PDB file of all heavy atoms in Angstrom:
ATOM      1  N   HIS A  28     157.527 146.948 115.147  1.00 85.00           N
ATOM      2  CA  HIS A  28     156.794 145.768 115.635  1.00 85.00           C
ATOM      3  C   HIS A  28     156.870 145.661 117.157  1.00 85.00           C
ATOM      4  O   HIS A  28     156.989 144.572 117.696  1.00 85.00           O
ATOM      5  CB  HIS A  28     157.369 144.500 114.997  1.00 85.00           C
ATOM      6  CG  HIS A  28     157.250 144.483 113.514  1.00 85.00           C
ATOM      7  ND1 HIS A  28     156.057 144.246 112.869  1.00 85.00           N
ATOM      8  CD2 HIS A  28     158.155 144.702 112.547  1.00 85.00           C
ATOM      9  CE1 HIS A  28     156.247 144.317 111.570  1.00 85.00           C
ATOM     10  NE2 HIS A  28     157.512 144.596 111.344  1.00 85.00           N
ATOM     11  N   ASP A  29     156.807 146.782 117.847  1.00 90.00           N
ATOM     12  CA  ASP A  29     156.891 146.791 119.306  1.00 90.00           C
ATOM     13  C   ASP A  29     155.496 146.626 119.893  1.00 90.00           C
ATOM     14  O   ASP A  29     154.673 147.546 119.827  1.00 90.00           O
ATOM     15  CB  ASP A  29     157.523 148.107 119.767  1.00 90.00           C
ATOM     16  CG  ASP A  29     157.688 148.192 121.274  1.00 90.00           C
ATOM     17  OD1 ASP A  29     157.230 147.279 121.988  1.00 90.00           O
ATOM     18  OD2 ASP A  29     158.278 149.182 121.736  1.00 90.00           O
ATOM     19  N   PRO A  30     155.174 145.455 120.493  1.00 91.00           N
ATOM     20  CA  PRO A  30     153.818 145.239 121.022  1.00 91.00           C
ATOM     21  C   PRO A  30     153.479 146.126 122.215  1.00 91.00           C
ATOM     22  O   PRO A  30     152.312 146.272 122.564  1.00 91.00           O
ATOM     23  CB  PRO A  30     153.816 143.751 121.417  1.00 91.00           C
ATOM     24  CG  PRO A  30     155.251 143.406 121.598  1.00 91.00           C
ATOM     25  CD  PRO A  30     156.040 144.295 120.681  1.00 91.00           C
ATOM     26  N   ASP A  31     154.490 146.752 122.844  1.00 93.00           N
ATOM     27  CA  ASP A  31     154.235 147.624 123.986  1.00 93.00           C
ATOM     28  C   ASP A  31     154.062 149.083 123.592  1.00 93.00           C
ATOM     29  O   ASP A  31     153.700 149.913 124.423  1.00 93.00           O
ATOM     30  CB  ASP A  31     155.386 147.516 124.998  1.00 93.00           C
ATOM     31  CG  ASP A  31     155.504 146.116 125.565  1.00 93.00           C
ATOM     32  OD1 ASP A  31     154.456 145.467 125.784  1.00 93.00           O
ATOM     33  OD2 ASP A  31     156.644 145.650 125.755  1.00 93.00           O
ATOM     34  N   ARG A  32     154.318 149.396 122.342  1.00 95.00           N
ATOM     35  CA  ARG A  32     154.237 150.786 121.889  1.00 95.00           C
ATOM     36  C   ARG A  32     152.798 151.171 121.583  1.00 95.00           C
ATOM     37  O   ARG A  32     152.031 150.382 121.025  1.00 95.00           O
ATOM     38  CB  ARG A  32     155.092 150.979 120.642  1.00 95.00           C
ATOM     39  CG  ARG A  32     155.079 152.404 120.143  1.00 95.00           C
ATOM     40  CD  ARG A  32     156.065 152.610 119.043  1.00 95.00           C
ATOM     41  NE  ARG A  32     155.981 153.974 118.549  1.00 95.00           N
ATOM     42  CZ  ARG A  32     156.767 154.488 117.649  1.00 95.00           C
ATOM     43  NH1 ARG A  32     157.722 153.766 117.124  1.00 95.00           N
ATOM     44  NH2 ARG A  32     156.610 155.724 117.248  1.00 95.00           N
ATOM     45  N   ILE A  33     152.436 152.387 121.926  1.00 96.00           N
ATOM     46  CA  ILE A  33     151.128 152.940 121.554  1.00 96.00           C
ATOM     47  C   ILE A  33     151.357 153.856 120.360  1.00 96.00           C
ATOM     48  O   ILE A  33     152.117 154.825 120.429  1.00 96.00           O
ATOM     49  CB  ILE A  33     150.485 153.702 122.726  1.00 96.00           C
ATOM     50  CG1 ILE A  33     150.200 152.731 123.876  1.00 96.00           C
ATOM     51  CG2 ILE A  33     149.198 154.400 122.256  1.00 96.00           C
ATOM     52  CD1 ILE A  33     149.653 153.394 125.129  1.00 96.00           C
ATOM     53  N   TYR A  34     150.724 153.519 119.248  1.00 95.00           N
ATOM     54  CA  TYR A  34     150.825 154.287 118.010  1.00 95.00           C
ATOM     55  C   TYR A  34     149.622 155.215 117.935  1.00 95.00           C
ATOM     56  O   TYR A  34     148.582 154.965 118.551  1.00 95.00           O
ATOM     57  CB  TYR A  34     150.829 153.354 116.798  1.00 95.00           C
ATOM     58  CG  TYR A  34     151.960 152.360 116.818  1.00 95.00           C
ATOM     59  CD1 TYR A  34     151.810 151.116 117.406  1.00 95.00           C
ATOM     60  CD2 TYR A  34     153.189 152.683 116.262  1.00 95.00           C
ATOM     61  CE1 TYR A  34     152.849 150.201 117.430  1.00 95.00           C
ATOM     62  CE2 TYR A  34     154.240 151.780 116.275  1.00 95.00           C
ATOM     63  CZ  TYR A  34     154.062 150.539 116.867  1.00 95.00           C
ATOM     64  OH  TYR A  34     155.093 149.649 116.886  1.00 95.00           O
ATOM     65  N   GLY A  35     149.719 156.268 117.155  1.00 94.00           N
ATOM     66  CA  GLY A  35     148.592 157.168 117.022  1.00 94.00           C
ATOM     67  C   GLY A  35     148.656 157.987 115.752  1.00 94.00           C
ATOM     68  O   GLY A  35     149.704 158.101 115.112  1.00 94.00           O
ATOM     69  N   PHE A  36     147.506 158.524 115.371  1.00 93.00           N
ATOM     70  CA  PHE A  36     147.409 159.407 114.213  1.00 93.00           C
ATOM     71  C   PHE A  36     146.094 160.168 114.299  1.00 93.00           C
ATOM     72  O   PHE A  36     145.210 159.829 115.086  1.00 93.00           O
ATOM     73  CB  PHE A  36     147.496 158.618 112.897  1.00 93.00           C
ATOM     74  CG  PHE A  36     146.379 157.638 112.676  1.00 93.00           C
ATOM     75  CD1 PHE A  36     145.259 157.984 111.929  1.00 93.00           C
ATOM     76  CD2 PHE A  36     146.450 156.357 113.195  1.00 93.00           C
ATOM     77  CE1 PHE A  36     144.231 157.072 111.719  1.00 93.00           C
ATOM     78  CE2 PHE A  36     145.432 155.439 112.988  1.00 93.00           C
ATOM     79  CZ  PHE A  36     144.316 155.799 112.247  1.00 93.00           C
ATOM     80  N   ARG A  37     145.996 161.206 113.498  1.00 93.00           N
ATOM     81  CA  ARG A  37     144.746 161.973 113.392  1.00 93.00           C
ATOM     82  C   ARG A  37     143.922 161.404 112.254  1.00 93.00           C
ATOM     83  O   ARG A  37     144.440 161.110 111.178  1.00 93.00           O
ATOM     84  CB  ARG A  37     145.029 163.439 113.144  1.00 93.00           C
ATOM     85  CG  ARG A  37     145.617 164.116 114.339  1.00 93.00           C
ATOM     86  CD  ARG A  37     145.784 165.587 114.103  1.00 93.00           C
ATOM     87  NE  ARG A  37     146.190 166.218 115.348  1.00 93.00           N
ATOM     88  CZ  ARG A  37     146.060 167.490 115.598  1.00 93.00           C
ATOM     89  NH1 ARG A  37     145.547 168.295 114.695  1.00 93.00           N
ATOM     90  NH2 ARG A  37     146.449 167.987 116.746  1.00 93.00           N
ATOM     91  N   PHE A  38     142.655 161.255 112.499  1.00 92.00           N
ATOM     92  CA  PHE A  38     141.712 160.788 111.488  1.00 92.00           C
ATOM     93  C   PHE A  38     140.582 161.801 111.466  1.00 92.00           C
ATOM     94  O   PHE A  38     139.713 161.801 112.341  1.00 92.00           O
ATOM     95  CB  PHE A  38     141.202 159.380 111.832  1.00 92.00           C
ATOM     96  CG  PHE A  38     140.297 158.791 110.795  1.00 92.00           C
ATOM     97  CD1 PHE A  38     140.817 158.260 109.625  1.00 92.00           C
ATOM     98  CD2 PHE A  38     138.924 158.755 110.988  1.00 92.00           C
ATOM     99  CE1 PHE A  38     139.986 157.700 108.665  1.00 92.00           C
ATOM    100  CE2 PHE A  38     138.084 158.201 110.033  1.00 92.00           C
ATOM    101  CZ  PHE A  38     138.616 157.672 108.877  1.00 92.00           C
ATOM    102  N   GLY A  39     140.614 162.711 110.497  1.00 88.00           N
ATOM    103  CA  GLY A  39     139.637 163.800 110.483  1.00 88.00           C
ATOM    104  C   GLY A  39     139.827 164.651 111.720  1.00 88.00           C
ATOM    105  O   GLY A  39     140.919 165.152 111.993  1.00 88.00           O
ATOM    106  N   THR A  40     138.784 164.773 112.524  1.00 91.00           N
ATOM    107  CA  THR A  40     138.858 165.564 113.746  1.00 91.00           C
ATOM    108  C   THR A  40     139.072 164.692 114.985  1.00 91.00           C
ATOM    109  O   THR A  40     138.859 165.136 116.102  1.00 91.00           O
ATOM    110  CB  THR A  40     137.566 166.387 113.928  1.00 91.00           C
ATOM    111  OG1 THR A  40     136.455 165.487 114.005  1.00 91.00           O
ATOM    112  CG2 THR A  40     137.379 167.367 112.775  1.00 91.00           C
ATOM    113  N   LEU A  41     139.481 163.437 114.777  1.00 94.00           N
ATOM    114  CA  LEU A  41     139.684 162.503 115.881  1.00 94.00           C
ATOM    115  C   LEU A  41     141.156 162.192 116.086  1.00 94.00           C
ATOM    116  O   LEU A  41     141.944 162.178 115.136  1.00 94.00           O
ATOM    117  CB  LEU A  41     138.961 161.179 115.593  1.00 94.00           C
ATOM    118  CG  LEU A  41     137.457 161.235 115.402  1.00 94.00           C
ATOM    119  CD1 LEU A  41     136.950 159.926 114.847  1.00 94.00           C
ATOM    120  CD2 LEU A  41     136.781 161.542 116.729  1.00 94.00           C
ATOM    121  N   GLU A  42     141.520 161.913 117.318  1.00 95.00           N
ATOM    122  CA  GLU A  42     142.831 161.356 117.611  1.00 95.00           C
ATOM    123  C   GLU A  42     142.613 159.877 117.909  1.00 95.00           C
ATOM    124  O   GLU A  42     141.797 159.514 118.757  1.00 95.00           O
ATOM    125  CB  GLU A  42     143.473 162.050 118.818  1.00 95.00           C
ATOM    126  CG  GLU A  42     144.856 161.507 119.118  1.00 95.00           C
ATOM    127  CD  GLU A  42     145.538 162.235 120.261  1.00 95.00           C
ATOM    128  OE1 GLU A  42     144.965 163.202 120.794  1.00 95.00           O
ATOM    129  OE2 GLU A  42     146.638 161.819 120.618  1.00 95.00           O
ATOM    130  N   ILE A  43     143.337 159.027 117.192  1.00 97.00           N
ATOM    131  CA  ILE A  43     143.207 157.578 117.337  1.00 97.00           C
ATOM    132  C   ILE A  43     144.524 157.038 117.879  1.00 97.00           C
ATOM    133  O   ILE A  43     145.595 157.392 117.383  1.00 97.00           O
ATOM    134  CB  ILE A  43     142.901 156.902 115.976  1.00 97.00           C
ATOM    135  CG1 ILE A  43     141.677 157.532 115.306  1.00 97.00           C
ATOM    136  CG2 ILE A  43     142.740 155.399 116.150  1.00 97.00           C
ATOM    137  CD1 ILE A  43     140.383 157.408 116.077  1.00 97.00           C
ATOM    138  N   LYS A  44     144.464 156.171 118.884  1.00 97.00           N
ATOM    139  CA  LYS A  44     145.651 155.507 119.414  1.00 97.00           C
ATOM    140  C   LYS A  44     145.373 154.009 119.451  1.00 97.00           C
ATOM    141  O   LYS A  44     144.240 153.578 119.700  1.00 97.00           O
ATOM    142  CB  LYS A  44     146.007 156.032 120.794  1.00 97.00           C
ATOM    143  CG  LYS A  44     146.456 157.486 120.750  1.00 97.00           C
ATOM    144  CD  LYS A  44     146.953 157.963 122.077  1.00 97.00           C
ATOM    145  CE  LYS A  44     147.411 159.417 121.956  1.00 97.00           C
ATOM    146  NZ  LYS A  44     147.900 159.953 123.209  1.00 97.00           N
ATOM    147  N   PHE A  45     146.437 153.214 119.214  1.00 97.00           N
ATOM    148  CA  PHE A  45     146.258 151.769 119.133  1.00 97.00           C
ATOM    149  C   PHE A  45     147.560 151.051 119.439  1.00 97.00           C
ATOM    150  O   PHE A  45     148.634 151.645 119.413  1.00 97.00           O
ATOM    151  CB  PHE A  45     145.746 151.371 117.748  1.00 97.00           C
ATOM    152  CG  PHE A  45     146.693 151.713 116.632  1.00 97.00           C
ATOM    153  CD1 PHE A  45     147.628 150.789 116.168  1.00 97.00           C
ATOM    154  CD2 PHE A  45     146.670 152.971 116.043  1.00 97.00           C
ATOM    155  CE1 PHE A  45     148.506 151.108 115.145  1.00 97.00           C
ATOM    156  CE2 PHE A  45     147.544 153.295 115.014  1.00 97.00           C
ATOM    157  CZ  PHE A  45     148.465 152.369 114.569  1.00 97.00           C
ATOM    158  N   THR A  46     147.429 149.776 119.739  1.00 96.00           N
ATOM    159  CA  THR A  46     148.579 148.894 119.905  1.00 96.00           C
ATOM    160  C   THR A  46     148.426 147.753 118.904  1.00 96.00           C
ATOM    161  O   THR A  46     147.317 147.480 118.418  1.00 96.00           O
ATOM    162  CB  THR A  46     148.668 148.318 121.328  1.00 96.00           C
ATOM    163  OG1 THR A  46     147.490 147.561 121.591  1.00 96.00           O
ATOM    164  CG2 THR A  46     148.818 149.412 122.370  1.00 96.00           C
ATOM    165  N   VAL A  47     149.536 147.085 118.606  1.00 95.00           N
ATOM    166  CA  VAL A  47     149.504 145.934 117.712  1.00 95.00           C
ATOM    167  C   VAL A  47     150.300 144.820 118.365  1.00 95.00           C
ATOM    168  O   VAL A  47     151.452 145.010 118.751  1.00 95.00           O
ATOM    169  CB  VAL A  47     150.084 146.249 116.325  1.00 95.00           C
ATOM    170  CG1 VAL A  47     150.057 145.011 115.436  1.00 95.00           C
ATOM    171  CG2 VAL A  47     149.317 147.387 115.668  1.00 95.00           C
ATOM    172  N   SER A  48     149.663 143.669 118.480  1.00 95.00           N
ATOM    173  CA  SER A  48     150.329 142.475 119.000  1.00 95.00           C
ATOM    174  C   SER A  48     150.025 141.344 118.035  1.00 95.00           C
ATOM    175  O   SER A  48     148.856 140.958 117.864  1.00 95.00           O
ATOM    176  CB  SER A  48     149.826 142.144 120.403  1.00 95.00           C
ATOM    177  OG  SER A  48     150.499 141.005 120.899  1.00 95.00           O
ATOM    178  N   GLY A  49     151.068 140.852 117.383  1.00 93.00           N
ATOM    179  CA  GLY A  49     150.856 139.806 116.389  1.00 93.00           C
ATOM    180  C   GLY A  49     149.994 140.329 115.256  1.00 93.00           C
ATOM    181  O   GLY A  49     150.296 141.357 114.654  1.00 93.00           O
ATOM    182  N   GLU A  50     148.901 139.653 114.989  1.00 93.00           N
ATOM    183  CA  GLU A  50     147.998 140.038 113.902  1.00 93.00           C
ATOM    184  C   GLU A  50     146.780 140.824 114.395  1.00 93.00           C
ATOM    185  O   GLU A  50     145.809 140.983 113.662  1.00 93.00           O
ATOM    186  CB  GLU A  50     147.545 138.794 113.130  1.00 93.00           C
ATOM    187  CG  GLU A  50     148.678 138.090 112.409  1.00 93.00           C
ATOM    188  CD  GLU A  50     149.372 138.993 111.392  1.00 93.00           C
ATOM    189  OE1 GLU A  50     148.676 139.581 110.546  1.00 93.00           O
ATOM    190  OE2 GLU A  50     150.606 139.120 111.457  1.00 93.00           O
ATOM    191  N   PHE A  51     146.834 141.308 115.641  1.00 96.00           N
ATOM    192  CA  PHE A  51     145.700 142.025 116.214  1.00 96.00           C
ATOM    193  C   PHE A  51     146.062 143.473 116.516  1.00 96.00           C
ATOM    194  O   PHE A  51     147.037 143.759 117.214  1.00 96.00           O
ATOM    195  CB  PHE A  51     145.216 141.339 117.502  1.00 96.00           C
ATOM    196  CG  PHE A  51     144.608 140.006 117.255  1.00 96.00           C
ATOM    197  CD1 PHE A  51     145.392 138.861 117.256  1.00 96.00           C
ATOM    198  CD2 PHE A  51     143.256 139.892 116.989  1.00 96.00           C
ATOM    199  CE1 PHE A  51     144.833 137.625 117.006  1.00 96.00           C
ATOM    200  CE2 PHE A  51     142.684 138.666 116.746  1.00 96.00           C
ATOM    201  CZ  PHE A  51     143.479 137.524 116.749  1.00 96.00           C
ATOM    202  N   LEU A  52     145.269 144.397 115.999  1.00 96.00           N
ATOM    203  CA  LEU A  52     145.389 145.819 116.292  1.00 96.00           C
ATOM    204  C   LEU A  52     144.246 146.169 117.233  1.00 96.00           C
ATOM    205  O   LEU A  52     143.078 145.907 116.916  1.00 96.00           O
ATOM    206  CB  LEU A  52     145.288 146.645 115.009  1.00 96.00           C
ATOM    207  CG  LEU A  52     145.390 148.159 115.168  1.00 96.00           C
ATOM    208  CD1 LEU A  52     146.028 148.764 113.923  1.00 96.00           C
ATOM    209  CD2 LEU A  52     144.050 148.814 115.431  1.00 96.00           C
ATOM    210  N   THR A  53     144.570 146.722 118.393  1.00 97.00           N
ATOM    211  CA  THR A  53     143.557 147.073 119.388  1.00 97.00           C
ATOM    212  C   THR A  53     143.534 148.576 119.595  1.00 97.00           C
ATOM    213  O   THR A  53     144.553 149.189 119.948  1.00 97.00           O
ATOM    214  CB  THR A  53     143.841 146.371 120.730  1.00 97.00           C
ATOM    215  OG1 THR A  53     143.894 144.961 120.507  1.00 97.00           O
ATOM    216  CG2 THR A  53     142.756 146.681 121.747  1.00 97.00           C
ATOM    217  N   VAL A  54     142.383 149.184 119.367  1.00 97.00           N
ATOM    218  CA  VAL A  54     142.216 150.619 119.589  1.00 97.00           C
ATOM    219  C   VAL A  54     142.151 150.855 121.091  1.00 97.00           C
ATOM    220  O   VAL A  54     141.401 150.190 121.805  1.00 97.00           O
ATOM    221  CB  VAL A  54     140.945 151.141 118.892  1.00 97.00           C
ATOM    222  CG1 VAL A  54     140.711 152.610 119.234  1.00 97.00           C
ATOM    223  CG2 VAL A  54     141.049 150.940 117.386  1.00 97.00           C
ATOM    224  N   CYS A  55     142.964 151.805 121.584  1.00 97.00           N
ATOM    225  CA  CYS A  55     142.979 152.102 123.016  1.00 97.00           C
ATOM    226  C   CYS A  55     142.596 153.555 123.305  1.00 97.00           C
ATOM    227  O   CYS A  55     142.620 153.974 124.468  1.00 97.00           O
ATOM    228  CB  CYS A  55     144.332 151.756 123.627  1.00 97.00           C
ATOM    229  SG  CYS A  55     145.742 152.545 122.869  1.00 97.00           S
ATOM    230  N   PHE A  56     142.231 154.305 122.247  1.00 96.00           N
ATOM    231  CA  PHE A  56     141.827 155.696 122.452  1.00 96.00           C
ATOM    232  C   PHE A  56     141.217 156.215 121.160  1.00 96.00           C
ATOM    233  O   PHE A  56     141.754 155.978 120.086  1.00 96.00           O
ATOM    234  CB  PHE A  56     143.046 156.549 122.824  1.00 96.00           C
ATOM    235  CG  PHE A  56     142.728 157.975 123.161  1.00 96.00           C
ATOM    236  CD1 PHE A  56     142.329 158.329 124.432  1.00 96.00           C
ATOM    237  CD2 PHE A  56     142.852 158.971 122.203  1.00 96.00           C
ATOM    238  CE1 PHE A  56     142.054 159.662 124.751  1.00 96.00           C
ATOM    239  CE2 PHE A  56     142.573 160.294 122.506  1.00 96.00           C
ATOM    240  CZ  PHE A  56     142.175 160.638 123.797  1.00 96.00           C
ATOM    241  N   ALA A  57     140.096 156.884 121.257  1.00 96.00           N
ATOM    242  CA  ALA A  57     139.463 157.532 120.098  1.00 96.00           C
ATOM    243  C   ALA A  57     138.655 158.705 120.646  1.00 96.00           C
ATOM    244  O   ALA A  57     137.597 158.514 121.227  1.00 96.00           O
ATOM    245  CB  ALA A  57     138.558 156.554 119.354  1.00 96.00           C
ATOM    246  N   GLU A  58     139.189 159.896 120.466  1.00 94.00           N
ATOM    247  CA  GLU A  58     138.550 161.104 121.008  1.00 94.00           C
ATOM    248  C   GLU A  58     138.639 162.236 120.004  1.00 94.00           C
ATOM    249  O   GLU A  58     139.623 162.322 119.255  1.00 94.00           O
ATOM    250  CB  GLU A  58     139.252 161.545 122.292  1.00 94.00           C
ATOM    251  CG  GLU A  58     139.052 160.658 123.484  1.00 94.00           C
ATOM    252  CD  GLU A  58     137.699 160.866 124.167  1.00 94.00           C
ATOM    253  OE1 GLU A  58     137.022 161.863 123.866  1.00 94.00           O
ATOM    254  OE2 GLU A  58     137.344 160.011 124.984  1.00 94.00           O
ATOM    255  N   PRO A  59     137.666 163.147 120.006  1.00 92.00           N
ATOM    256  CA  PRO A  59     137.787 164.353 119.198  1.00 92.00           C
ATOM    257  C   PRO A  59     139.006 165.156 119.652  1.00 92.00           C
ATOM    258  O   PRO A  59     139.340 165.187 120.839  1.00 92.00           O
ATOM    259  CB  PRO A  59     136.505 165.113 119.470  1.00 92.00           C
ATOM    260  CG  PRO A  59     135.539 164.085 119.958  1.00 92.00           C
ATOM    261  CD  PRO A  59     136.372 163.068 120.688  1.00 92.00           C
ATOM    262  N   ILE A  60     139.664 165.792 118.713  1.00 89.00           N
ATOM    263  CA  ILE A  60     140.813 166.632 119.022  1.00 89.00           C
ATOM    264  C   ILE A  60     140.302 167.930 119.608  1.00 89.00           C
ATOM    265  O   ILE A  60     139.425 168.583 119.040  1.00 89.00           O
ATOM    266  CB  ILE A  60     141.646 166.890 117.751  1.00 89.00           C
ATOM    267  CG1 ILE A  60     142.183 165.569 117.215  1.00 89.00           C
ATOM    268  CG2 ILE A  60     142.785 167.870 118.042  1.00 89.00           C
ATOM    269  CD1 ILE A  60     142.778 165.654 115.830  1.00 89.00           C
ATOM    270  N   ALA A  61     140.842 168.266 120.756  1.00 78.00           N
ATOM    271  CA  ALA A  61     140.364 169.466 121.466  1.00 78.00           C
ATOM    272  C   ALA A  61     140.844 170.729 120.775  1.00 78.00           C
ATOM    273  O   ALA A  61     141.818 170.835 120.166  1.00 78.00           O
ATOM    274  CB  ALA A  61     140.838 169.454 122.904  1.00 78.00           C
TER     275      ALA A  61
END
């Protein structure tokens, strides 16, 4: 539950990164994996 941490995972051929603060998840990166 660290609001300053950037989490990430692969979704198909994309790399997704996000943060979570309270009840809000904000995407901060979505790019094809090189």
Side-chain angles (χ1 to χ4, degrees):
H28 299 285
D29 182 355
D31 297 323
R32 182 172 177 176
I33 296 176
Y34 301 91
F36 63 95
R37 290 185 173 200
F38 184 78
T40 60
L41 300 168
E42 181 177 357
I43 306 298
K44 293 186 179 180
F45 62 93
T46 61
V47 179
S48 181
E50 295 300 308
F51 292 89
L52 180 149
T53 303
V54 175
C55 56
F56 184 84
E58 290 281 347
I60 298 168

